[in-house]
Amino acid sequence: MHRDDSYLRDLLMEIEDSPDIVFITRRPLSASAELKKQNHHLELLCDCGFLARVNDNAYRLTSAGHDFTQALRNETIWSKTRSKVAEAGGYVTLEILSTIAIGYLKQEISKATGLTL
């Protein structure tokens, strides 16, 4: 299964927007394709430290996950990030994707405040 960066973005925002502290998933023996995709992407987010596993079916957003989600939430930053990834051939690591998005967030804050970040 391929990683879907837009799906990761949507999943992170869904988790952050939830009023609950943890995100609960299901792991039935015969999961649907959508549930398999969700669970795979949850594990990818754990792999890079954006989510922490609370138990077999529950995850929480880490501080790094909140930071990444805030950068991705801004449509302009997301658009610029996707554009740069496309210029680089369309495939980058999740760490690089995060670095690009957070870099654009820092640029936006620097423009708004006049501070060098």
Side-chain angles (χ1 to χ4, degrees):
M1 178 179 300
H2 291 277
R3 188 184 79 209
D4 181 336
D5 295 335
S6 293
Y7 185 84
L8 283 174
R9 176 182 185 247
D10 293 342
L11 189 55
L12 283 167
M13 289 194 299
E14 177 184 347
I15 293 168
E16 188 176 61
D17 290 343
S18 172
D20 297 320
I21 296 170
V22 296
F23 180 82
I24 308 289
T25 188
R26 295 178 298 115
R27 296 192 186 275
L29 293 175
S30 58
S32 66
E34 181 63 24
L35 190 55
K36 286 178 185 178
K37 180 177 182 177
Q38 179 188 68
N39 287 329
H40 176 67
H41 284 75
L42 289 168
E43 293 300 324
L44 291 174
L45 291 167
C46 283
D47 290 345
C48 63
F50 296 138
L51 289 182
R53 184 188 284 268
V54 176
N55 66 35
D56 286 344
N57 298 329
Y59 301 84
R60 69 169 183 79
L61 206 53
T62 64
S63 182
H66 280 286
D67 293 347
F68 185 41
T69 304
Q70 287 306 302
L72 296 178
R73 189 173 290 283
N74 181 298
E75 287 294 335
T76 301
I77 291 171
W78 178 239
S79 178
K80 287 179 180 180
T81 301
R82 298 274 312 208
S83 177
K84 287 299 176 191
V85 167
E87 287 176 23
Y91 299 101
V92 296
T93 67
L94 199 48
E95 179 183 357
I96 292 171
L97 184 73
S98 172
T99 300
I100 293 169
I102 291 172
Y104 279 125
L105 178 61
K106 287 179 179 180
Q107 278 184 352
E108 293 295 319
I109 293 170
S110 290
K111 285 181 198 173
T113 65
L115 300 172
T116 303
L117 300 177

